[in-house]
Amino acid sequence: MALLLERGYLAQHTSSGIDGLRSFCMQQPDLVLLEARLPDMGGCALCRRLRDLSDMPIIFISAAADTHDIVAGFEAGADDYVRKPFDNDELLARIRTRLRRSPNQRGSEELVFNNGELRINFINREVVVRGQPTHLTPKEFALLAALARNAGRVVSRQALATQAWGERYGDASDSLKLYVHYLRRKLERDPLQPGYILTTRGVGYRFAKR
């Protein structure tokens, strides 16, 4: 953190995943440097939680040189991966590059649709449908988060599966269709006539922005 402060950045350090998540929601940073090894949770798990909340850049920093660890970081939603030990100037260059490319979209703890009929809390990973808490599996929640974050926009099947579950699922169109079916059963008044998750034939899906 001293390096960033010396170069004129506003920076805050946390020592655990839970503290980091809490700090993110309060501070809404423009970029996150994320250690792959945390005392209370895996770095990839925290990365997924942060990615549910925002599109801001995430750079992994790790001493791990295993290709599996690097791939796991990218699939969790990281934008870049820096191995320790690293050159300070290289790290700063990567930070500047990611900040230039960032859309600077702020995350939100909760999204609310249809005058409160549907509430999605990304911190607690809770979904409330018509006043009733609704249990979603991790894969269902990840898919719902990707849909809701793109509300009002048509997202191709490949892009949606990749955003929700990682690069390895980019071609999982059959699984995507199945999980859309699961979500409709849990969210819609009539799954056969959905009001939230709409199909755009030949392209993908759109989450109704209402």
Side-chain angles (χ1 to χ4, degrees), residues 88-121:
N88 288 345
D89 288 335
E90 178 186 353
L91 176 61
L92 291 168
R94 290 175 181 267
I95 290 173
R96 289 194 297 269
T97 297
R98 292 299 168 185
L99 288 175
R100 284 199 301 268
R101 296 176 180 175
S102 173
N104 199 30
Q105 295 178 348
R106 297 301 189 177
S108 174
E109 293 184 23
E110 184 175 82
L111 289 179
V112 180
F113 296 91
N114 200 21
N115 296 318
E117 183 178 279
L118 172 63
R119 294 179 176 272
I120 307 168
N121 188 297

Side-chain angles (χ1 to χ4, degrees), residues 52 111 113 120 122 139-156 159-161 163-165 176 179-181 183-184 187-188 196-199 204-209:
D52 285 344
L111 289 179
F113 296 91
I120 307 168
F122 296 97
K139 287 192 71 173
E140 289 171 349
F141 186 88
L143 178 56
L144 177 60
L147 285 163
R149 288 295 183 193
N150 289 285
R153 295 178 292 193
V154 176
V155 184
S156 71
L160 185 57
Q163 287 182 35
W165 303 324
L176 183 65
Y179 276 89
V180 166
H181 171 71
L183 283 178
R184 283 172 171 166
L187 304 181
E188 306 284 3
Y196 289 114
I197 306 175
L198 309 178
T199 301
Y205 298 94
R206 175 172 62 87
F207 198 83
K209 191 174 183 179

Side-chain angles (χ1 to χ4, degrees), residues 36-109:
R37 300 287 186 266
L38 299 170
D40 57 344
M41 64 191 303
C44 287
L46 178 56
C47 185
R48 293 188 186 94
R49 297 286 293 273
L50 293 173
R51 186 53 73 219
D52 285 344
L53 294 167
S54 175
D55 291 331
M56 51 85 207
I58 299 174
I59 300 177
F60 258 101
I61 297 178
S62 175
D66 191 286
T67 301
H68 174 76
D69 292 323
I70 297 173
V71 171
F74 280 117
E75 289 189 344
D79 298 285
D80 206 347
Y81 200 107
V82 178
R83 293 178 179 177
K84 294 180 179 180
F86 54 81
D87 179 83
N88 288 345
D89 288 335
E90 178 186 353
L91 176 61
L92 291 168
R94 290 175 181 267
I95 290 173
R96 289 194 297 269
T97 297
R98 292 299 168 185
L99 288 175
R100 284 199 301 268
R101 296 176 180 175
S102 173
N104 199 30
Q105 295 178 348
R106 297 301 189 177
S108 174
E109 293 184 23

